Every structure is written in structure tokens, then in C-alpha cells.
Amino acid sequence: MTHEEYLARVTQYIKLDKNNQHHEDEQVVLDKFKHLLTYQTGTYDQDSSYQALDTFIKTHAEATMAPGHRNRVFYMALPPSVFVTVARGLRHNAYAQDGVNRIVVEKPFGKDLASSNQLAQDLGQLFTEKEIYRIDHYLGKEMVKNMMTVRFANIFFSQIWNRMYIDNVQVTFKEPFGTEGRGGYFDEFGIIRDVMQNHLTQILSLIAMERPISTDAEAIRDEKVKVLKCIPPIDIRDALLGQYISDGDARRPGYLEDPTLTNKASLTPTFAALVLWIQNERWEGVPFVLKAGKALDSAKVEVRIQFRNVAGNLYKNAARNELVIRVQPDEALYMKFNNKLPGLSYQTIQTDLDLTYENRYTDLAIPDAYESLLLDVLRNDHSNFVRDDELSAAWRIFTPLLHKIDQHDAEIQMTHYKYGSRGPDELDAFVRKYGYDRSNAH
Ligand code: BG6
């Protein structure tokens, strides 16, 4: 691309914040921003490319910066196969000598525990853990960032947040579209590696971890690692796997009909429900059910914390209390509780204490996850990034099951579900087995 083509390409996505509190003209803002952008091409595996980049940064960007403040952030939006090659090229040829360096890496961080550890070791020889930022963009989502606040800034949750009062926890990820156009990538990874080992496990650790000693990044990450270490590898009997098929409409083809998929006999799951057990004093016996699927009936990411039944039978219609944290769409937090039907009746009805963000925080804009995380990189705040030991703790939980799937182990059973459905028919019975009471659902 020429510099002009590059500018045209990146700025087509830039829109002014919908609140536009400064009442600026969109074109003026965009023009100002364009002046900050430069473009330099290179080849992954040639030192000369990185040397050229280094010279380019020195002449174009650093000329006006004070020594000691000539900091560099490298953001690797790259295929995983070149992570280490590029990191090495940057480290040896384009590392800032009079400022700090930071390198941002995107998943996939390996494919299993061994490959992830290898990647960590290779990167660790080039950049320090302080310099590395592993992005899990779910950690930049507003409701995920809110989880610690809800848990640790409210006294009424702290006392009941344990196995005595919580029956089961459901973390759900639903997407209404298939893998169209991404079949190549997806088939190699599957739904478990794509969103469960990372995004949903991050949510789980924020729900389950102990209170950190401070809000310092290392204190938070220490607690997340600790809780992950209490989870044994997933048992195949605690897994329900599925793959979508067409619902008969050509616009909604089955997974195996995706033209970008080369292995037409693939057994890669596009849906999974997996139960994780945390073996510690707080959570022993409470199933954490992670569910994720492509080509389902809706787009939704939410956490449902289902409390135990009230003892005795004073109120026969009383449903279970439930706390729902809706991550997307439409951020919300609501609590299902029982109330007397107003009026002469003494009937018990279930109702919601509802904090829907759109209604409550009408003039606050919620930043995109990446917006929030990239700002954290600039601020040198690692709280919402994945630490190396956290990554291996997460891979340890999923690797044996993933290997069984990869090797088409005889124990693996694949169910099928129609594009646009709620998932495999077996799902309801599966979640019921782990205590989930669906009569509560909307
Ligand atoms: C990505 C996965 O990490 O997360 C995608 O690779 C998935 O398959 C995406 O669609 C979901 O992110 P979001 O922010 O749209 O929920």
C-alpha cells in the first residue's frame, strides 16, 4: 500500500464518539488524527526490515521526543506462526534504547499446554514479562471489568458467595453466526480453544477468585492463578460437544459445508458445554458450567449465578434467586427475587431488581474493549492482561480434553444442532444434571 492507501484504509472505520462532548467536527478530528499516522512495510524474517523500521521511527516519531521518553509499543496483529520471528526481529533491531518497550500479543497463545509453554519460553527470551501484554479482549469489556467491583465492594455478596448459598454458575457465550469465511482458522482451533480456554475462563476466575490483597495488577493475577490451580482437568463425562448442521436454508449452511473448510470430515466442535469443578473450601461441589456455541439462536454473553432453594415450604411458588451479569449485548446486572404480588393476593411472584445500563447510565459512553485495553498498555497497567503462569494454569485444565478431541478418542461423542437453534437437544438434560433450574429462565 502507499501511505495514502493506508490512511484511506484505516480511517474508514473511525467514527467520532457518539457523545461527542467537545462538539468537534468529525472531519477536523479525523484530519488531525491522520497526521499522527505513518506507515512502513517490511518482511517478517529480514533483519533489514526491522532496521528500516527503527530508522523510520527515529526520524519520523522520535525526533521531537525528549531522551528517556522515546517509548515504543509493538502490537502484533499477526498469525501465530510468526509471533516469535517478529518478536525476535523487533528485539534485535528495533528495541528502544532510551525509553521503555512494550509488546502486545494476541491469541492464540499456543494450542495446548506444551505449545503455550514453548511460546512463553521463546518470547520470554526476548522480552521480559513486564514488557509483554497478552490480550484477552474479554478483560476489556465493561461488565467483565465490573465483576470485581460487584463482588468486593458490596457487603451483601461477600457472605453468600460460596457453596453454602450458590448452587451452580453458568457462563454462556452465544453467537448467531457460523464460522463462514473463517473455516480454515476455526477448524484448527475449535470453540474450546477459540473462546472457552481464554474468554470464558477469565470470567470464571473473576467470579471465583478470592479477594486480592489490593487492586494492583500482580495481586489480582495472583488470585486468578490460585483459583485456576484448584481446578482439575475437565473430565470427558463433564463435556457435551456439538457441531452445527444446516437448518435446510441455503443461507445457513452446516459447518462442514463451509467452503473455507478443507477437512470435510472434521470433528471440530462448534459448540461445547463443559463443567469445571473448583476444589477449594469456597467452591467444592459447585458446578461451573461453561457453554459456548456458534450458529445459535441469539447473540449473548452472560453469567448466571443460581442460588440454592430457600429451605422449608412456606412459599411454594418461590423460585430460586439468581444474579445475572449480562456482558453483551446491552450490559445489565439483575437479580431475580421473590415478591408478593401487589394487591389482595398473597401469591409469590418472581421479579427483577434490574440495573440495565442503558436506562441508568444514559449519558456515559461504554468504550470498546480494545479501546480500554490499549489505553491500559499505554498506562502500563497489566491488570487486564494474561500473565504467563495464568496462561499455563488455564491450558492445564483444557489440554487433556482437547487432545482427546484432536485424536478422535473413542470416548468423544459429537452431537449436532441446527443453525439458529438453542444448541444440541441434549443441552437441557445436561445442565439439569448439574443442578441448573431452567424454570427460572426468561
Ligand atoms: C474472538 C474469537 O476471540 O472472540 C471469535 O476468535 C469470537 O470467534 C470473538 O467471535 C467474540 O468476541 P466478541 O467481542 O464479539 O464477543
Side-chain angles (χ1 to χ4, degrees), residues 265-283:
S266 168
L267 284 175
T268 299
T270 60
F271 175 96
L274 307 175
V275 185
L276 278 64
W277 302 95
I278 304 173
Q279 294 179 335
N280 65 13
E281 213 178 349
R282 184 184 291 278
W283 295 117

Side-chain angles (χ1 to χ4, degrees), residues 179 181-189 255 258-262:
T179 58
R182 280 177 91 214
Y185 156 83
F186 192 86
D187 203 51
E188 205 186 317
F189 290 89
Y255 178 64
D258 182 337
T260 54
L261 186 80
T262 42

Side-chain angles (χ1 to χ4, degrees), residues 36 56 63 81 108 111 143 148 167-168 218 238 242 257 330 353 362 400 419:
L36 301 171
F56 186 80
S81 55
K111 285 192 70 182
M143 280 319 238
M148 274 185 53
D167 187 274
N168 65 81
E218 297 321 317
D238 282 336
E257 288 142 34
D330 308 325
L353 280 172
T362 43
Y419 199 127

